[in-house]
Amino acid sequence: MTLRPNISGERLAGHALVEALIAQGVDTVFGVPGESYLAVLDGLHEHQERIRFMACRHEGGAAFMAEAAGKLTGRPGVCLVTRAPGATNASIGLHTAFQDSTPMVLLIGQVASDQRDREAFQEVDYRQMLGPGTLGMAKWVAEVQDADRLPEYLARAFHIAQQGRPGPVVLALPEDMLTTVTTAPVLPRVTPAVSWPSPSDLLALQARLENADRPLLLVGGGGWTPQACEALEHFARTWHLPVACGFRRQDLFDNRDALYAGDVGIGINPALAQRVRDADLIIALGPRLGEMTTGGYELLQPPRPHQQLVHIHAGAEELGRVYAADQVIQASMSVAALALQTLRPEDHFVFPWTEWTCSAHADYQRNQQGTPVQPMDMTAVIQLLNRLLPPDTIFTNGAGNYSGWLHRFHRYPALHQSGRTQLAPTSGAMGYGFPAAVAASLLQKDRWVVNIAGDGDFLMTSQEMATAMAHGARRLICLVVDNGSYGTIRMHQEREYPGRTSGSDLHNPDFAALARAYGWAAHTAEHTEAVEPALRDAVRTQQPTLIHIKLPVDISTSRTTLTRIREAALQRQARPRGE
């Protein structure tokens, strides 16, 4: 619905901005208030019955929340921050949105136009600081100089954020521009343009499929819709294809399905890694094929992998950027699978890869068997979460080895079955998971949200516990896995410089006491058996609950320990050179 200005048509540009956001369907803005955009804050007050401002405790947390909103809804999440200190803090969420292909709009208050280029208080040129470009922080960065063009800029921002490869855009808003009176009408809600595969592309792909012996469908990237994921399922089922999900994109395909082969990312199942190498046809549907999804560019070696590669991606700039694929197809993820599901094998066609597909899922099931560990078995903790919480529970995490248990042992339903259930940064940003969980809890209050965080990860954004309480979060559980270490760094140190650790030990607070200080319920668990009563209490009360899980530092990953890593490194160093 297009909003009309008031009877006179005159209002502050800051108010016009809020009206334009409402016209784009935005009902929540995350941010930290600043004096550079007081006119916008006044506009948010004017329209508070239609749009709410979630005041956060740090711009990094606010930007992570906006990025999570973009993942959850498929529409741009909106973050509003003030000049340089605020924008700098928010840039971590901007980078995450860029690498995760998440639609997002970052609005930054700017110094007044008559003070530009004098290094005024907190002045930064955001076009230089934040990009744009495929190696930058945003798809587009602009500064609005004319209040009458503000609605035009905002509509353009929403178009760019959603079209092609989704991503973040930035608008800088000079303070004097926001206080200028304008009569400019807001523009209608943006519907992004989409690109379909051509009929000739589909026929060529079908021919490659019919001549394959060991195909693998690798799905990932941004821009997916529930309808697209349902079509993906139909396509995979029609052709009996094994399906692997890219790094932290596990909720694009039902992990319980007999076609599911596992996730291709950090801590990949070794059997799946070998299967990627052995495939004679890889249909990469959506992922940009970055470092994590390609195992450091080793599972698929650039520029010309030995596997036959069909790369389907929404962004023309991504196709051919790293890999010289055998076939490239530019298509939006919202429609690509809809086109693929129209492909049908001939009635007499015999699938030569039936055993290949069955064994791929069997490998995944074997990988679900963990080795019990005492006193705290994280495998059992994830399995307990799966039993006690409904399938549509949203799981979030940031960066760290602790996330490996979640990725390996939780079975995500598909997007069309339960909505988005995985919020995790493919950018590897520490501190992401907890603000993402707060945002999910506030945006979708009828669903359970579970954040699993490491001790180092959690303390980077734990202040957003106050945000959760201030805005009435419910059904929110945070498990802080405390091993007194930056565990991933410690693992790499032991692997490369065994016994010579530096900077990776942590001195932690009593996380349960910290949570109680914010008004959360809290429990401490030092052994596996103590986790279940704490979880049951959280489910019963439905109030924000933190569970402080103490994990021995030696338990490094879901597959090995620091002791084993160190011993292997020492043995490697002891071998004579050339052996």
Side-chain angles (χ1 to χ4, degrees):
M1 179 181 68
T2 302
L3 297 181
R4 303 296 180 188
N6 57 30
I7 295 175
S8 68
E10 295 185 347
R11 74 279 201 219
L12 297 180
H15 285 227
L17 174 65
V18 174
E19 292 173 5
L21 289 171
I22 294 171
Q24 295 303 326
V26 177
D27 60 12
T28 303
V29 175
F30 300 93
V32 176
E35 67 271 22
S36 61
Y37 63 90
L38 293 177
V40 181
L41 291 171
D42 189 67
L44 288 164
H45 176 81
E46 178 72 17
H47 297 286
Q48 60 186 298
E49 293 182 359
R50 306 183 70 179
I51 188 170
R52 56 181 176 172
F53 180 64
M54 293 284 188
C56 304
R57 306 309 294 264
H58 189 275
E59 291 89 355
F64 280 147
M65 291 186 198
E67 197 278 348
K71 278 195 174 88
L72 279 171
T73 65
R75 297 281 297 182
V78 179
C79 182
L80 186 55
V81 299
T82 194
R83 298 173 298 229
T88 303
N89 285 341
S91 65
I92 186 173
L94 195 70
H95 180 262
T96 298
F98 191 92
Q99 289 218 331
D100 285 43
S101 301
T102 303
M104 175 178 166
V105 174
L106 177 63
L107 303 171
I108 304 174
Q110 175 61 297
V111 301
S113 302
D114 61 355
Q115 298 177 6
R116 293 287 272 120
D117 300 323
R118 291 176 173 173
E119 195 183 348
F121 180 60
Q122 299 179 340
E123 180 182 1
V124 166
D125 187 328
Y126 300 106
R127 287 167 293 192
Q128 293 190 51
M129 173 183 171
L130 300 174
T134 57
L135 295 177
M137 301 277 279
K139 292 182 69 177
W140 180 53
V141 182
E143 185 166 308
V144 186
Q145 299 291 345
D146 184 346
D148 290 337
R149 294 185 64 190
L150 180 56
E152 170 197 337
Y153 273 88
L154 190 77
R156 182 178 174 186
F158 272 72
H159 269 293
I160 294 175
Q162 296 175 89
Q163 291 176 172
R165 174 187 170 186
V169 300
V170 178
L171 290 181
L173 310 169
E175 185 175 359
D176 56 332
M177 183 277 296
L178 291 173
T179 58
T180 301
V181 173
T182 180
T183 60
V186 300
L187 297 177
R189 180 184 172 99
V190 165
T191 300
V194 297
S195 55
W196 287 77
S198 70
S200 60
D201 281 332
L202 294 174
L203 289 174
L205 189 153
Q206 178 160 346
R208 294 179 190 280
L209 256 180
E210 291 172 342
N211 287 284
D213 290 315
R214 299 178 305 280
L216 179 67
L217 182 56
L218 176 58
V219 300
W224 287 86
T225 64
Q227 295 78 13
C229 284
E230 187 173 17
L232 165 66
E233 180 185 286
H234 291 161
F235 171 63
R237 207 175 299 286
T238 297
W239 289 89
H240 198 56
L241 293 170
V243 181
C245 291
F247 181 50
R248 292 177 172 167
R249 303 292 189 181
Q250 289 164 259
D251 63 354
L252 296 181
F253 193 83
D254 188 352
N255 297 184
R256 302 159 297 184
D257 195 285
L259 298 177
Y260 186 63
D263 63 300
V264 183
I266 296 175
I268 185 175
N269 178 1
L272 178 56
Q274 189 58 48
R275 191 168 299 277
V276 176
R277 297 186 187 98
D278 292 341
D280 65 353
L281 173 64
I282 291 180
I283 302 173
L285 179 57
R288 60 185 179 87
L289 298 176
E291 179 185 358
M292 294 297 100
T293 297
T294 62
Y297 304 104
E298 292 183 359
L299 300 180
L300 285 168
Q301 295 186 348
R304 186 75 170 168
H306 73 268
Q307 306 97 324
Q308 187 179 184
L309 175 62
V310 176
H311 194 186
I312 306 172
H313 197 276
E317 74 285 354
E318 291 298 322
L319 295 169
R321 178 182 176 189
V322 178
Y323 290 97
D326 297 273
Q327 183 180 358
V328 296
I329 300 175
Q330 184 187 358
S332 306
M333 286 307 101
S334 59
V335 298
L338 297 176
L340 290 177
Q341 74 171 339
T342 65
L343 301 181
R344 294 286 188 275
E346 297 292 336
D347 292 339
H348 63 273
F349 185 77
V350 177
F351 296 105
W353 56 77
T354 298
E355 177 55 33
W356 164 264
T357 299
C358 292
S359 61
H361 185 65
D363 286 342
Y364 168 72
Q365 290 180 310
R366 279 190 290 273
N367 192 50
Q368 291 284 294
Q369 306 305 312
T371 302
V373 177
Q374 292 300 331
M376 181 60 70
D377 187 351
M378 286 302 299
T379 302
V381 171
I382 301 301
Q383 292 169 343
L384 178 65
L385 287 165
N386 294 342
R387 289 201 313 272
L388 295 184
L389 293 167
D392 70 345
T393 297
I394 299 168
F395 283 85
T396 78
N397 63 268
N401 277 1
Y402 67 88
S403 64
W405 280 279
L406 179 62
H407 297 342
R408 179 178 173 185
F409 296 110
H410 178 59
R411 296 194 175 194
Y412 292 89
L415 184 60
H416 65 282
Q417 297 168 324
S418 301
R420 180 68 69 184
T421 55
Q422 184 178 34
L423 298 178
T426 67
S427 70
M430 291 186 70
Y432 173 90
F434 185 68
V438 173
S441 179
L442 294 173
L443 292 173
Q444 301 193 3
K445 291 191 174 184
D446 59 332
R447 297 174 66 185
W448 280 96
V449 182
V450 176
N451 167 234
I452 300 182
D455 44 355
D457 178 76
F458 179 69
L459 276 188
M460 291 191 176
T461 48
S462 60
Q463 70 278 349
E464 303 305 338
M465 283 192 286
T467 305
M469 297 303 292
H471 296 286
R474 298 174 59 249
R475 299 185 178 183
L476 175 59
I477 300 172
C478 176
L479 276 63
V480 178
V481 182
D482 175 9
N483 65 354
S485 175
Y486 286 122
T488 303
I489 307 307
R490 175 70 180 272
M491 175 189 70
H492 289 304
Q493 286 177 327
E494 296 288 8
R495 180 174 290 146
E496 303 299 329
Y497 304 97
R500 297 173 60 83
T501 59
S502 175
S504 52
D505 292 331
L506 295 175
H507 177 74
N508 287 326
D510 181 334
F511 288 106
L514 179 65
R516 292 187 192 104
Y518 282 102
W520 284 51
H523 306 268
T524 300
E526 299 190 24
H527 52 85
T528 308
E529 294 72 21
V531 178
E532 181 167 355
L535 278 175
R536 289 191 178 279
D537 186 69
V539 171
R540 179 183 59 82
T541 63
Q542 299 192 15
Q543 67 180 108
T545 300
L546 181 143
I547 302 175
H548 181 187
I549 294 180
K550 295 192 174 182
L551 189 71
V553 68
D554 193 52
I555 303 175
S556 181
T557 73
S558 68
R559 300 187 188 279
T560 190
T561 64
L562 288 178
T563 298
R564 291 175 183 169
I565 294 171
R566 186 185 312 115
E567 289 174 348
L570 291 170
Q571 289 174 6
R572 186 174 63 249
Q573 290 182 357
R575 293 188 194 122
R577 286 189 178 181
E579 185 177 312

